[in-house]
Amino acid sequence: MRSMLMLLGLCVLVLSPFPVALSERCHPEDKKVLLRFKKELNNPYFLASWDPKEDCCDWYCVKCDDRNNRIYEVFLISSYPDPNVTGKIPPSVGDLPYLEYLTFHKLPNLVGPIPPTITKLTKLKSLEITNSGLTGPIPEFLAQIKTLEVISLSFNSLSGSIPSSLSQLPNLASLQLDRNKLTGPIPASFGSFKKPGPDLKLSHNQLSGPLPPSLGNLDPDNIDLSRNKLVGDASFLFGSKKKTQVLDLSRNAFSFDLSPVTFPKKSLIWLDINHNKIYGNLPVALTKVENLQQLNVSYNPGLKGQIPQGGELHRFDKYAFFHTKLCGSPLPPCTK
């Protein structure tokens, strides 16, 4: 009987497509997909640990769930730009049904669009493809992955408009599309995100037009719309009852009266509105913001009057108020 069992075990090893240790945790289907994934990236040295003779749960750049031994995370992260990972994002990534986290970082020769097979990842929570060579538009089909909580596509060469369908993602907590070549307006549908709404990091693009007033319905921690071509009113992003921590509207063409604006007293730590067409007086309400660490209202020639004194405003030097018609400390005294 014992000899028959030994013979059966030998047959299993011979018939297996990959030599495996008897204690291997890795699911064979996941291993097969990952090896195909590696091949589609032209077998980079970066993935040298992906050896078919080894347990894929022990490979670099992947993580297995201890409960079911399925791959739930793939992270190709380089500490410096690695040119040896070449090609497009492998379509086979869609064949990892338990994947929750997918990250590519500092891979400049990872090019092309995001593959539609990614929509098969019905458990995906985080999609981060940053500092790489992505091109083409942000695909509408991302809205089909209802589990997404984080979309980070920063530092690529994505073009076209931001899909309005992204507002259909019920769990989205962070949308980072900064430093691309995106054009067009911020979608009006973004005001319908489930409150408080995702952090919006859309800076360093070529977005244009006015903001949809519906954005005022949201209350995310961070809004960064800097270095675009946005115009018109943005006063509805402010409010004493909001929980905003960072609000950066700098280097656009926003134009609104700052005088009646109120601010979150406890949460706001960063306010930058430099290089716009904002006018009026600096609100006294700024002196009530308890934890303000960064303030820049410079290069708004329509701002005028006395700089309010008190609170945290004493922390900021003249460069925070430069090229305005404001007066009083730290600028020269007001004249009658």
Side-chain angles (χ1 to χ4, degrees):
M1 183 67 178
R2 181 180 298 178
S3 59
M4 289 179 64
L5 288 174
M6 291 177 63
L7 181 61
L8 179 61
L10 181 61
C11 290
V12 169
L13 288 174
V14 170
L15 293 174
S16 173
F18 308 113
V20 293
L22 291 177
S23 60
E24 181 162 357
R25 295 179 297 140
C26 179
H27 193 282
E29 287 301 315
D30 287 351
K31 188 171 196 175
K32 189 185 302 182
V33 170
L34 289 172
L35 290 170
R36 190 162 77 246
F37 179 101
K38 178 183 177 182
K39 184 177 180 181
E40 289 168 350
L41 285 177
N42 299 304
N43 296 307
Y45 180 75
F46 193 80
L47 300 180
S49 72
W50 291 21
D51 184 340
K53 297 178 183 178
E54 304 294 334
D55 188 336
C56 77
C57 288
D58 297 328
W59 291 354
Y60 179 63
C61 300
V62 298
K63 290 183 180 179
C64 282
D65 190 327
D66 290 336
R67 296 167 297 180
N68 57 18
N69 295 327
R70 301 304 297 261
I71 298 292
Y72 75 93
E73 182 169 4
V74 173
F75 54 101
L76 274 64
I77 299 174
S78 178
S79 58
Y80 58 90
D82 189 335
N84 297 312
V85 179
T86 61
K88 298 180 179 181
I89 296 174
S92 58
V93 73
D95 295 325
L96 294 168
Y98 287 81
L99 198 66
E100 297 181 21
Y101 304 95
L102 177 61
T103 304
F104 300 92
H105 179 63
K106 287 193 176 178
L107 305 175
N109 290 331
L110 185 72
V111 298
I114 298 171
T117 55
I118 202 171
T119 58
K120 296 193 289 182
L121 300 175
T122 58
K123 299 179 184 294
L124 192 66
K125 294 178 181 179
S126 176
L127 175 64
E128 299 188 53
I129 310 170
T130 54
N131 297 77
S132 297
L134 283 189
T135 56
I138 297 170
E140 291 270 359
F141 56 67
L142 290 182
Q144 298 176 31
I145 312 173
K146 300 302 183 184
T147 49
L148 275 172
E149 298 173 6
V150 174
I151 297 176
S152 180
L153 304 175
S154 307
F155 289 87
N156 283 289
S157 296
L158 294 166
S159 58
S161 59
I162 300 174
S164 61
S165 58
L166 295 182
S167 64
Q168 299 169 17
L169 293 170
N171 302 305
L172 195 64
S174 181
L175 180 62
Q176 303 173 34
L177 306 177
D178 50 299
R179 295 180 186 268
N180 279 286
K181 300 176 181 179
L182 301 173
T183 56
I186 295 175
S189 65
F190 275 24
S192 63
F193 271 116
K194 182 180 177 181
K195 291 184 180 180
D199 289 347
L200 295 174
K201 297 185 179 181
L202 309 179
S203 69
H204 294 79
N205 280 292
Q206 300 171 36
L207 301 174
S208 59
L211 297 183
S214 59
L215 282 185
N217 298 331
L218 304 183
D219 190 16
D221 291 338
N222 295 276
I223 300 177
D224 186 354
L225 308 179
S226 62
R227 293 180 183 265
N228 280 290
K229 301 176 181 179
L230 299 164
V231 302
D233 190 12
S235 61
F236 43 78
L237 298 179
F238 297 82
S240 60
K241 295 183 179 180
K242 289 183 177 285
K243 298 178 181 178
T244 313
Q245 296 178 16
V246 174
L247 182 56
D248 192 341
L249 307 177
S250 62
R251 295 183 181 269
N252 280 285
F254 288 120
S255 178
F256 59 90
D257 186 357
L258 192 64
S259 308
V261 167
T262 59
F263 308 90
K265 292 181 180 180
K266 295 187 179 296
S267 62
L268 189 65
I269 58 175
W270 185 292
L271 176 61
D272 194 341
I273 59 172
N274 81 78
H275 284 84
N276 278 288
K277 300 177 181 179
I278 298 168
Y279 55 90
N281 301 316
L282 277 190
V284 175
L286 267 177
T287 65
K288 306 297 183 183
V289 179
E290 298 176 4
N291 300 299
L292 195 62
Q293 298 173 18
Q294 169 68 22
L295 174 70
N296 192 341
V297 302
S298 65
Y299 290 89
N300 283 287
L303 288 177
K304 61 183 181 179
Q306 175 87 35
I307 296 173
Q309 302 299 304
E312 295 298 305
L313 292 190
H314 71 277
R315 298 165 54 115
F316 307 108
D317 61 22
K318 65 181 181 180
Y319 298 104
F321 308 97
F322 224 44
H323 288 277
T324 65
K325 295 183 178 67
L326 295 166
C327 57
S329 179
L331 297 179
C334 299
T335 57
K336 294 183 180 180

